[in-house]
Amino acid sequence: MLPLLQLGKSSLASQAFVKGLIQGAIYAGIVIVLLFLCLLPLIVKHIRKKQAKKAAAIRAKRSSKVRASQELEISLKPEEPGKPIVATFSESQILEKQDK
């Protein structure tokens, strides 16, 4: 009879171990989910910061290109509308007559 009691105790102990193992796995899963939910706003904030930095760099690059093209257009435009910067001799005479 002694071996039967030991057999019964060992199966009872293994059942308790398996029950505790399953319960521990469930609790660990709950803790991981809660931790992820708590850290989710920080993760999103970090991702948005990275995206904002990339967008700012792209905007700066675009604005520098736009400024360069605008400066080029401004330098090519005459200072006063209607009067060209470079005029031939006949054009300058016509302009002087119009001014008088």
Side-chain angles (χ1 to χ4, degrees):
M1 269 208 162
L2 202 59
L4 287 175
L5 287 176
Q6 288 177 353
L7 182 63
K9 287 181 182 178
S10 67
S11 76
L12 184 62
S14 66
Q15 284 179 356
F17 174 75
V18 171
K19 183 180 176 183
L21 188 66
I22 292 170
Q23 189 176 11
I26 291 171
Y27 287 152
I30 291 171
V31 168
I32 289 171
V33 168
L34 289 175
L35 186 63
F36 177 74
L37 289 175
C38 290
L39 293 177
L40 189 63
L42 294 175
I43 295 169
V44 169
K45 183 179 178 181
H46 179 70
I47 291 171
R48 285 187 180 170
K49 270 187 182 180
K50 278 187 172 181
Q51 288 178 345
K53 284 181 182 179
K54 285 181 183 178
I58 291 171
R59 274 191 233 115
K61 192 180 283 187
R62 283 185 187 166
S63 66
S64 66
K65 287 180 182 177
V66 169
R67 273 191 238 125
S69 65
Q70 285 175 347
E71 288 174 2
L72 181 62
E73 287 176 9
I74 291 171
S75 66
L76 295 177
K77 288 183 180 177
E79 291 179 8
E80 294 180 24
K83 291 188 177 181
I85 295 174
V86 179
T88 60
F89 181 71
S90 61
E91 288 176 341
S92 62
Q93 286 179 345
I94 292 171
L95 290 173
E96 286 176 9
K97 287 179 183 177
Q98 287 177 351
D99 289 340
K100 291 181 181 179

